[in-house]
Amino acid sequence: MLAQQLVNALSLGGVYALFALGFTLIFGVLDVINLAHGAIFMLGAYAALQAVLLLKLPLPAAIVVAILVAALAGLLLDRFIFAPLRARNAPHLAPMIATIGLAISINSAVQGIFGAENLRFPVDALPAEAFQMGTIRVTLIELQIIFLSILLMVALLWGLKRTRVGVALRAIAESPKAAALLGIDVEKLFGVTAVIASILGGVAGVLIALYSNALFPTMGQPMLHKGIAVVILGGMGDIRGAMLGGLFLGFAEVFAVAYIGSTMRDAVAFGLLFAILLLRPQGLFGQAAQRRA
């Protein structure tokens, strides 16, 4: 029983961590709270579903389509919202308010096109294989979710630490002005950051849709609440904190459902987050790590 819940928690926590990574990356580098991240999460899921239904693509190819759609959304987000506001030296809350409006527009547009009802991936599009190891039963889709989540998290950490772009992003997170003086193309990397963060959000949307096999236009809203909680828990703008916070929330939800009841899932998970923040208000990685990418 315990081992089975650990597997379930790892697959759900990995998705939460991916979503939170995109959210915290935008905050750490652009210093913006992107409340449209949940809408991009939903766009990724719908893009993958339409790729399966309309284009008859297999699931891996549908995920690639979702990545492309999410990347385009991130590029447009920076080009038409963040960049103009930066150019006008807009107040700090302006980008956040703008992303609220964008999220509402995207949700309304998707609801107008596809309807408000739940949609599902066709059963034959999902792998049906399952593996039994003693008392543990793991489906192939759960293994794929865990593998892809870990792969993207490791790739992001490696990229931030080992590549020139990653070093430049970390420099911008510390001080955009100092980074510009060092010759870094700050504006270009702001756009790159928005694209990477949106890809993480879009892939998280596909994975949670596969995990639950349910898509609806407002599916990004509860995920946004969880993402904000996870980012605050880990320490605003801290990559390590986002990963650990996402995994923590996944484990808390799964164990709450297994041992207390599904109706108490959010109450237990967010209650634990609240208790931790009371003990450590600056988040798991403290004040010093608050602005690190």
Side-chain angles (χ1 to χ4, degrees):
M1 180 68 173
L2 177 62
Q4 181 67 59
Q5 300 310 325
L6 288 174
V7 172
N8 297 340
L10 188 58
S11 56
L12 185 61
V15 178
Y16 288 167
L18 269 189
F19 181 87
L21 280 174
F23 193 82
T24 203
L25 191 62
I26 289 275
F27 180 81
V29 177
L30 276 72
D31 199 20
V32 168
I33 297 176
N34 177 20
L35 296 181
H37 199 56
I40 294 174
F41 165 89
M42 177 269 296
L43 271 184
Y46 270 80
L49 177 64
Q50 295 308 311
V52 170
L53 294 178
L54 299 180
L55 305 179
K56 308 299 181 187
L57 294 178
L59 200 52
I63 293 176
V64 174
V65 171
I67 288 174
L68 294 175
V69 170
L72 178 62
L75 183 64
L76 296 176
L77 176 65
D78 184 68
R79 182 69 59 86
F80 294 107
I81 293 182
F82 293 155
L85 291 174
R86 284 197 301 270
R88 291 172 172 80
N89 198 23
H92 195 68
L93 289 178
M96 186 177 72
I97 301 301
T99 57
I100 292 175
L102 177 65
I104 293 173
S105 300
I106 293 175
N107 288 342
S108 298
V110 169
Q111 184 167 329
I113 296 171
F114 300 105
E117 65 275 9
N118 281 359
L119 301 179
R120 300 182 186 280
F121 284 94
V123 175
D124 57 356
L126 302 178
E129 295 87 347
F131 307 96
Q132 194 75 32
M133 295 173 285
T135 58
I136 305 174
R137 183 180 185 277
V138 185
T139 64
L140 181 56
I141 195 68
E142 285 178 320
L143 288 177
Q144 291 172 337
I145 289 173
I146 293 171
F147 173 77
L148 188 54
S149 300
I150 293 175
L151 177 66
L152 288 175
M153 285 189 277
V154 170
L156 179 65
L157 287 176
W158 179 84
L160 286 174
K161 290 184 178 296
R162 301 293 183 185
T163 67
R164 296 186 62 180
V165 171
V167 172
L169 289 178
R170 289 160 54 198
I172 294 172
E174 293 294 335
S175 171
K177 291 182 179 177
L181 291 175
L182 291 172
I184 295 173
D185 189 341
V186 175
E187 280 297 319
K188 180 180 178 181
L189 288 181
F190 277 156
V192 170
T193 302
V195 168
I196 294 173
S198 297
I199 289 174
L200 292 173
V203 172
V206 179
L207 297 184
I208 204 70
L210 294 173
Y211 183 85
S212 59
N213 200 11
L215 293 81
F216 48 96
T218 57
M219 63 185 286
Q221 197 61 36
M223 182 60 80
L224 184 64
H225 298 159
K226 293 174 181 178
I228 292 173
V230 164
V231 168
I232 293 174
L233 173 66
M236 292 294 285
D238 193 287
I239 295 296
R240 302 161 302 169
M243 289 175 53
L244 289 179
L247 292 171
F248 174 86
L249 184 60
F251 276 73
E253 284 193 0
V254 168
F255 279 89
V257 170
Y259 295 105
I260 299 177
S262 59
T263 57
M264 294 296 291
R265 181 185 64 179
D266 289 341
V268 171
F270 282 91
L272 287 172
L273 290 174
F274 177 66
I276 291 174
L277 289 176
L278 281 179
L279 298 173
R280 194 172 173 80
Q282 69 272 36
L284 293 175
F285 287 89
Q287 194 69 28
Q290 199 171 26
R291 295 291 308 279
R292 291 166 56 185

